[in-house]
Amino acid sequence: MLTINKYSLFTFTLTLVFIAVITSATGFAINNIEQATKLQIRASLQTILKTTVTTYQIWIQYRKRDAVELAMSSPVQAMLHGGSGTEHHQGSLAELRSFIGPVLQREKDLGFYIISPQRTNIASLRDEELHRLNLIQMQRPDYLDRAFQGETLFIPTLSSDSTDTGQVSAESAHLSIFVVSPVKQNGQVKAVLALQINLDTLFNHVSGLARLGDTGETYAFDKNGMLLTESRFEHQLVNSRLISHDSNSIMNIRITDPGGNTLLGFKPDTLPQQWPLTIMAASATQGISGSDMNGYRDYRGVPVFGAWLWDHDLGFGITSEIDVKEALASYYQTRQAILGVLTVILVMTLLLLAYVVRSQQVKKQYLQKAKDDLEQKVAVRTAELNITRMELETANRELEVLATTDSLTSLANRRCFDDHLEKEWLYCQRENKSLGILLVDIDYFKRYNDFYGHPCGDECLRNVAKALRNINVIRRPGDLIARYGGEEFAIILSAPNSAYMKDVAELLRNAVYQLKIEHQASKLTEKSVTISVGYALAVDLQKVTAETLISRADQALYKAKSLGRNQSCADDDTASRQEQTAS
């Protein structure tokens, strides 16, 4: 009997040890799975966040380029020439609105301003805004001061519909953002051009793509914690009475913690103005970037995981969040499966000690099944995240193409030309090769636009661009043809000689002449669209700069125009080199 008791005690003790070990191991495994899941979620949120910020920055650089090109355009310059009387000003303003209108419509912009040094609007899309103190001066004068010093800037959010004193009505306030560029004459800043950007264009499209799962949301907010993008959960906000039926969430929701989950019927005892900022918003508005995988309540009171940052250049904060319930769904399922297995093992261990070995085998089978289920779910989740990442990468590539391609002619734009010239100049300089620049200008194109209208002018530009591209002078990797601005095109040729430059210039001129595009407003006898070409060649790149070479090509273009147009001319240095080669 004593032996049996000792055996029973030993068995009972061994069973308790076994249960303790299994329980501890299971708890450790569940904790590890939870931590690994949270780390994966944090990495995904941070990836989405960084991609979103990069997308915003690329888009803003693209819009800055728009502002610079418009500031250099002749209608904008014409507004600064003054003139005799109101009729001249009104005529220049009408021409400017006609010129800049298609750009605003294409980009879905809200308007434009030309701001005088006195900070008043001397040109605008709307007559009632003329001669008023500019909105930027009233709310962000430091940015406008920088613009008048020669900087092209993105101006973060500010409230429109303000009075001349800068006061904003709560009932009529709207959010605005601007891109501004100095308007220069003779190297001096005479005014500033401001483009009023549509918030939907900047925020909502990008934020709508950057979502993780069914409850993930990426949104932007200002220094006061006000929501700048449309909430994914507007219907929930309406049902919870956080916003009214006839309003949306933009600038109507402050990123505060209501104190409980409003979706489950929680009713705060205090007014919304007394609610504190969420953990995320309180950190971000202090300029602190971070993440939280412990879970915090969002502006609906729903527990979420999040990653956030405050971008000082953009002037607003961005966060990417996902509901804790969805984020940990696979973990909860796995934990439930593991705990179920553990419960079965414990019950079977206590009731059927004789079947310890068999129970152990069952436990292993269940654990293996749980592990396989977990791996399968992780694989599915990983595949979904990869698809999301690929979609975001595709969107980034599309934005990059838009940023380097002229939308009208499908040629490289001025930004692409400048970047390519810098790289090719360094390459040819290093390899001791020559580099050539050709500048092409459509003869009397302004008269063509005035006579046939801007739609026909756009079609003419497309046809000329197509003809220049089709003659196949771009043969080397370093060659490039681009729209330089307005009716001007520019071509980079890597390692040419003076004879080849001359041949290419004539090929370009003849290609456009052969189009036989009618141009009754031309001063030339041909009465068809023609081009003038100026070109310059640099043989020793150690002795000149890219800016000098472009200036020489521009002088050659001016020479071609002075000699009657519809011809090509080399600059003096290149012409002299051609004569030496011929002799």
Side-chain angles (χ1 to χ4, degrees), residues 506-540:
E506 280 302 298
L507 282 173
L508 298 172
R509 189 186 65 81
N510 287 328
V512 174
Y513 182 77
Q514 293 301 322
L515 293 176
K516 301 298 182 183
I517 301 174
E518 181 180 297
H519 188 355
Q520 292 298 327
S522 175
K523 292 184 179 181
L524 300 179
T525 57
E526 288 81 1
K527 299 302 178 183
S528 62
V529 172
T530 60
I531 61 173
S532 298
V533 184
Y535 59 92
L537 175 67
V539 176
D540 187 355

Side-chain angles (χ1 to χ4, degrees), residues 84 173 223 285:
S84 56
K223 195 68 175 178
T285 54

Side-chain angles (χ1 to χ4, degrees), residues 450-468:
D450 295 340
F451 188 85
Y452 293 98
H454 285 282
C456 291
D458 289 347
E459 184 63 24
C460 176
L461 284 172
R462 282 190 288 267
N463 289 332
V464 170
K466 182 178 180 181
L468 297 179

Side-chain angles (χ1 to χ4, degrees), residues 57-118:
Q57 292 172 342
I58 291 174
W59 187 91
I60 288 171
Q61 289 301 319
Y62 165 68
R63 295 315 314 276
K64 283 184 179 179
R65 181 72 61 176
D66 279 351
V68 171
E69 292 179 356
L70 288 173
M72 295 188 298
S73 64
S74 56
V76 172
Q77 295 289 325
M79 287 298 302
L80 307 182
H81 284 310
S84 56
T86 304
E87 293 184 1
H88 179 275
H89 179 79
Q90 291 177 344
S92 297
L93 180 58
E95 181 182 355
L96 175 60
R97 288 172 174 174
S98 176
F99 170 76
I100 209 169
V103 177
L104 300 180
Q105 185 176 10
R106 181 189 70 209
E107 301 295 343
K108 300 180 180 179
D109 292 337
L110 302 180
F112 75 94
Y113 301 94
I114 295 182
I115 308 166
S116 72
Q118 291 74 35

Side-chain angles (χ1 to χ4, degrees), residues 263-282:
L263 303 187
L264 300 180
F266 175 77
K267 303 294 183 182
D269 297 329
T270 57
L271 296 175
Q273 296 84 347
Q274 299 174 315
W275 299 348
L277 292 173
T278 65
I279 291 176
M280 177 280 298

Side-chain angles (χ1 to χ4, degrees), residues 62-200:
Y62 165 68
R63 295 315 314 276
K64 283 184 179 179
R65 181 72 61 176
D66 279 351
V68 171
E69 292 179 356
L70 288 173
M72 295 188 298
S73 64
S74 56
V76 172
Q77 295 289 325
M79 287 298 302
L80 307 182
H81 284 310
S84 56
T86 304
E87 293 184 1
H88 179 275
H89 179 79
Q90 291 177 344
S92 297
L93 180 58
E95 181 182 355
L96 175 60
R97 288 172 174 174
S98 176
F99 170 76
I100 209 169
V103 177
L104 300 180
Q105 185 176 10
R106 181 189 70 209
E107 301 295 343
K108 300 180 180 179
D109 292 337
L110 302 180
F112 75 94
Y113 301 94
I114 295 182
I115 308 166
S116 72
Q118 291 74 35
R119 306 313 197 254
T120 60
N121 303 324
I122 61 175
S124 174
L125 191 63
R126 296 168 285 275
D127 289 338
E128 61 269 19
E129 295 176 333
L130 296 176
H131 311 301
R132 293 180 59 186
L133 187 64
N134 185 261
L135 179 66
I136 304 172
Q137 175 65 22
M138 288 189 281
Q139 299 185 38
R140 295 190 185 271
D142 52 330
Y143 281 86
L144 204 53
D145 291 341
R146 291 169 59 189
F148 272 99
Q149 292 173 6
E151 290 188 59
T152 297
L153 301 168
F154 168 76
I155 299 182
T157 54
L158 46 81
S159 295
S160 60
D161 299 326
S162 61
T163 66
D164 288 336
T165 63
Q167 298 299 317
V168 181
S169 169
E171 292 77 18
S172 63
H174 297 285
L175 208 61
S176 295
I177 54 177
F178 291 86
V179 172
V180 297
S181 179
V183 181
K184 298 181 179 179
Q185 288 185 347
N186 299 323
Q188 294 184 346
V189 178
K190 298 295 186 181
V192 168
L193 171 68
L195 296 180
Q196 188 175 9
I197 308 301
N198 190 335
L199 272 175
D200 287 340

Side-chain angles (χ1 to χ4, degrees), residues 322-349:
I322 186 172
D323 288 6
V324 170
K325 184 177 181 180
E326 180 187 5
L328 296 181
S330 61
Y331 161 72
Y332 290 145
Q333 294 173 2
T334 302
R335 184 181 67 178
Q336 184 178 1
I338 294 176
L339 292 177
V341 172
L342 180 61
T343 300
V344 171
I345 293 174
L346 293 177
V347 171
M348 294 298 293
T349 300

Side-chain angles (χ1 to χ4, degrees), residues 3 57 75 204 237 276 348 355 473 500 564:
T3 304
Q57 292 172 342
N204 289 338
L237 299 176
M348 294 298 293
Y355 298 95
V473 298
Y500 181 72

